Structures are given as C-alpha cells and as structure tokens.
Amino acid sequence: MSSLFYLTFSKLKGTVRNQFRSITSGLVTIFMVLLYGAMVVMVFVSSSTYKPESMGMNANLALMSGIGMAALFMLTVMLNSRKALVYDTDAHYLFAGPYTRAQINFYIMGQSMLQGLLYGLLGCFVMAMFSIDGYFSVPYFLITLLVLWLVLFFFLLLADYIYMWSLVDRKHRKWNYIVAAVFCVLTAAVFWVSAHRTGYDMKAGLLDFVLSREFCYVPFFGWAKWALNAFLEREYLPVLLGTGLLLAADVLMVVFFLRFQKDIAEQAVADAEAVSEYVRRVKANGGMAQSSDRKIKRVKGDFPEGARAVFFKNLLIMRKTGNFLRKQDMLILVIYFAISYVVMPQGRFYMFCYMMLLWLFNLLNDAELLGDLKNYQIYLIPEKPLSKLVYAILPAYIKVAVIVSVSVIFAGIFNRMDFLSILQYLIMLLGYGMIFIAGTVLSVRMLKARSNVMLENLLRMLLIVACAVPATVIGVLCYFFFQDLQTAMIVVSVITLAMNFVISALVIVACQGMMNGREL
C-alpha cells in the first residue's frame, strides 16, 4: 500500500514540476496563480456581515451559480461515453501489481477525492466572483468548499462504481442515464412549481426558483443549498443536517465502492489506454476533438497553385469533417441565447453578444483551425510570407465571421434591435475575432513549439488591453474637454473597435517572417 501512496505523491510532484519545465511556462504559471489568488484575497478582504434583506438575492444567485456548475459537471461525468478508472500508466501499474481489489479501489477513490476537491475550488471561485455584496468570508469559503466537495465526490465515485459494474455487464450503463434523468426531472419540477406560483412569468419564476425552499428537497444539490443558506443566516442546525446528509451518502457510497470485488482488469486497462490516447489527441489540439475523431464526408475540392492552395485545403478539410459548423458550437450558442433570454429580459441582445465572446475565446483554441501556423513545410511555397500567413488564417476567420454574423443578426431581429446596434455589435465581435487570431499568431511566433492554450489566451488578453488603453486615454480627454460622459463613451467604443483591427493587422504583418521558416 505504501507504494501506492508513493505513486500518488510522485504524480503530484511531477505535475507541479511540469508547470515549471521552462522559464516561460514557470513565469506564466506564477503570474496566473498570483492573478487568481489576488482576486480571491480581494474578495476575502472586502467581506462584510451578511444582511439577508439587502444581500439575499445576490447571495442566492451566487450560490446557485456554484451549485449549477456542480450539477453541470455531474451531468458531464454521468453521460460521458468515454470512461476509464485511471489513465494508462496507472492502469498498467495497478492491475499488474501485487495489489488486492480493495487496495486498487482505494487508490481510485483517492483520485476521485482529489478531483472533487479541485472542482470544488473552481466552484468556490465562481461563487466568489459572483459575490458582489462582499459577504464571502473565509469561514463561508471553507464550508462551501466542504459542501461542494461532498457533492462532487459522491457523483465521481458513483460514476466509477456504475462503470465498474458495466464492465461486468453492459446493461448496467443505463444507470448513468437514470441518475441524470432523475435529477433533471426533480429540478424541472421545482422550476415548474416556481413558474406556476408566479403566473408563468419567466423572470419572476427564475427568481422564485432561486429563492424557493422546494429546491432544498432535491437530493445533494438541494441539501448543499440548504446548508450554505443556513450558514449565511447563522442557523447552524440546518448546516449540520444538510452536511450530515451529504456525508452519510458519501460514506455509504464509499462502502459499496470498496466492497466491489469483480475481476475487470483486462477491460479496465483497454479502456484506460483508449481514453488516454484520446486525451492526448485533444490536448495536442488545444482542448478540441480532432477531425480524425469525427465522421469524414465525401466531397470534392479544387487546389489552385501557390498560397491559395493552403486556403482551399483547409476549407476542404472543414467540409469533409463538418468542422465549419459543429453541433457543439450550435448547442452552445442556443444555450447562450436561452440564458440571455431568461436572465436579462431587458438586455437579452447585449448579454448574448458578450456571451459570444466566451464562445470565440474557446473556439479558436482548436489547433486544427490554425494548424498551418506550425507547419514547417509551408515556407517551401514560392509566395510572399504575408500572403501565406493571410491564407493560413483566413479559413478560421471566415468560420468566425459567418457564425457570428448569422447569430448576431438573428438575435438582433428577434429582439427588435435597430440596425445601428446590430451593426455595432457585429463589428465588435468581428474585431475581437481578429484579436484572438492575432494572439495565436503572436504566440506561435514568440514561443514556437512551446506555445499552448494558456499562453495563447494570456497573449489575447494582453492584446485586448493594448487596444483598450489608447481608447480609454482619448475617452478621458474627451470627457475633460466636453464634460459629456455619453460622448466620451461613444469615443471609447469607436476607437476600441478601430484599434482591434489595427493592432491585429500590425501583429500579422510583424509576424509574417514565420511563414519563411526563419522564425519557427
């Protein structure tokens, strides 16, 4: 058993060491830790006494955001078709070593405990960022972390337990869908009660749902809300009851999990190898599934000479793999539209447009969209480097432009926005699309093979700041001259839109040498 503890310690040490494998990645890691740490510390420092009459609504909204994240993670874990108990390196060590079934189960349970703790910290961070009234104190953080960890740990262990039984008999897989369906039905029932109570007014129904006592009867998520609400209101008996229910469920799940004794080694190792290989491909592709994992269609295409061949090749790949318009992109946009429709009835269009920035930020992490930036053979094409660079990034920008244009125009017409507002936000999103692509180009140019998703996102944020600084300075000067805040805001918006395109163009021109092989 001591060797398993040593394996766990070595993995943690290796994970930390990997973050500092180079000076650049080490500095970025330290910067990100300090940045997010400072944000959390600021929340703690600004915390004040909780006042239900003035802070109750915001506190419940923040609480539901954390619980909602936990529920979304639960659905993802239960409905994920690719499952494995551990990765391939651990599987070979565990199932071939001199360990009993109970020891192997204990090690797997330890992995679930750590994973639940990490996702619990993420949920706490989300809640802290939504806690605008300053009540998120250190004790509240600790009880929130404990409650979210208990919830997440239960479902992680449950998913592994169902998976192990499915290796014995595939019919047990249905329990994943049954568990997910039960919680969806219970939550929908509580929401229907709230909507009925408010005369089916969506906004009022949502607020009533957030504040309702009925939600506390939903197992696990309702118990978590019950305990955390009671802690804010200093009613400690419900805190003990809610936390006790979660703890009892976890203990019961641990007992069942550790008592599993079936022989599943062969299939568990095979699944671990398959999942590990898939994860490696996804990581290499910036967190997206590769085209090789999708169905290939039979289509025809032309290949002109010169740099245009790069452009037509990428368009052909998009058509063959369906990467131009993916189902997950459409689903995300539909979810964003539904959220904006319910949460902000008076500003649905604006909220939807700003939420699309999140989609853009994640979309361009797909390494296949801009894969030719790292293609060392592209310098052999006898064309100007700027032409090759433009043709390499043009398919990704066309995809962004088409989806953004259709989405913004549809949302604008649906919400009866005027033409100028639709045009303004369309240009804004197209400008940010250029900034995000320029950030990827700059990342490849500066960091070469060490470029990764985290560094690309950091450079994108820095470019956004670089675009905003001149506009902010000019806007402040306009305010001092004209003493009109609305005029200053219009100036800031217009200049920021212009700077997005100008700085993107400057970055692309400055990085054109990478297409001649000199700077890769």
Side-chain angles (χ1 to χ4, degrees), residues 1 4-5 8 11 84-87 90 94-95 100-118 149-150 152-161 163-164 247 249-260:
M1 194 67 185
L4 292 180
F5 285 112
T8 303
K11 285 179 60 179
L85 295 172
V86 288
Y87 289 119
D90 289 344
L94 285 173
F95 292 103
T100 65
R101 183 69 243 181
Q103 289 174 327
I104 295 174
N105 291 350
F106 186 82
Y107 177 82
I108 295 170
M109 185 184 72
Q111 301 285 75
S112 298
M113 293 175 69
L114 180 59
Q115 191 176 3
L117 180 64
L118 294 176
W149 175 75
L150 289 173
L152 292 167
F153 174 60
F154 176 86
F155 286 106
L156 285 167
L157 211 58
L158 177 62
D160 285 341
Y161 186 67
Y163 167 73
M164 291 193 299
L247 184 60
D250 281 15
V251 170
L252 188 62
M253 191 69 249
V254 167
V255 170
F256 279 107
F257 189 82
L258 293 179
R259 289 171 62 88
F260 183 87

Side-chain angles (χ1 to χ4, degrees), residues 267-284:
Q267 188 58 47
V269 172
D271 287 349
E273 291 173 343
V275 169
S276 299
E277 180 59 29
Y278 176 77
V279 170
R280 291 187 190 102
R281 294 199 305 270
V282 169
K283 286 183 177 179

Side-chain angles (χ1 to χ4, degrees), residues 166-182:
S166 71
L167 296 183
V168 179
D169 190 341
R170 291 178 62 88
K171 70 180 182 181
H172 292 295
R173 289 187 176 185
K174 65 183 180 182
W175 286 103
N176 287 303
Y177 304 98
I178 292 174
V179 171
V182 166

Side-chain angles (χ1 to χ4, degrees), residues 184-401:
C184 289
V185 169
L186 288 175
T187 305
V190 175
F191 183 77
W192 180 83
V193 170
S194 299
H196 178 72
R197 190 158 48 215
T198 57
Y200 297 99
D201 184 318
M202 294 301 294
K203 182 179 179 180
L206 179 64
L207 296 178
D208 186 79
F209 172 74
V210 170
L211 297 171
S212 67
R213 289 288 180 183
E214 288 85 357
F215 184 78
C216 297
Y217 296 116
V218 177
F220 298 98
F221 303 107
W223 300 341
K225 184 176 183 294
W226 183 32
L228 295 177
N229 262 340
F231 184 85
L232 283 175
E233 296 171 0
R234 298 184 180 182
E235 298 176 2
Y236 298 113
L237 180 59
V239 175
L240 293 175
L241 291 175
T243 308
L245 286 171
L246 293 173
L247 184 60
D250 281 15
V251 170
L252 188 62
M253 191 69 249
V254 167
V255 170
F256 279 107
F257 189 82
L258 293 179
R259 289 171 62 88
F260 183 87
Q261 295 294 327
K262 301 291 184 179
D263 184 12
I264 56 172
E266 184 177 351
Q267 188 58 47
V269 172
D271 287 349
E273 291 173 343
V275 169
S276 299
E277 180 59 29
Y278 176 77
V279 170
R280 291 187 190 102
R281 294 199 305 270
V282 169
K283 286 183 177 179
N285 194 38
M288 302 286 186
Q290 291 185 333
S291 58
S292 58
D293 298 314
R294 294 188 285 268
K295 185 178 180 180
I296 306 298
K297 303 175 184 177
R298 294 179 60 87
V299 297
K300 296 181 179 180
D302 298 322
F303 289 93
E305 296 181 355
R308 290 196 303 159
V310 177
F311 171 72
F312 281 90
K313 179 207 73 172
N314 289 327
L315 283 185
L316 180 63
I317 291 174
M318 284 184 179
R319 291 167 58 200
K320 288 177 70 67
T321 60
N323 197 29
F324 190 88
L325 186 62
R326 300 176 302 183
K327 292 180 180 179
Q328 57 262 45
D329 290 329
M330 298 302 299
L331 178 62
I332 290 171
L333 292 176
V334 169
I335 292 174
Y336 284 172
F337 187 82
I339 291 174
S340 63
Y341 185 88
V342 174
V343 174
M344 192 176 290
Q346 305 303 320
R348 297 166 183 162
F349 176 74
Y350 307 111
M351 183 176 180
F352 175 70
C353 290
Y354 284 112
M355 291 182 74
M356 283 196 70
L357 288 175
L358 300 176
W359 171 78
L360 275 176
F361 212 81
N362 184 61
L363 171 70
L364 292 172
N365 289 333
D366 188 343
E368 289 188 338
L369 285 178
L370 298 166
D372 282 317
L373 296 179
K374 300 178 183 179
N375 186 351
Y376 293 91
Q377 288 78 33
I378 201 169
Y379 74 92
L380 295 172
I381 299 176
E383 289 270 5
K384 296 179 180 178
L386 183 59
S387 298
K388 291 186 283 188
L389 181 55
V390 170
Y391 280 121
I393 65 177
L394 194 56
Y397 191 69
I398 289 176
K399 173 178 178 174
V400 168

Side-chain angles (χ1 to χ4, degrees), residues 410-422:
F410 171 79
I413 294 175
F414 184 86
N415 290 288
R416 300 179 182 179
M417 302 298 297
D418 60 90
F419 173 76
L420 289 179
S421 295
I422 296 175

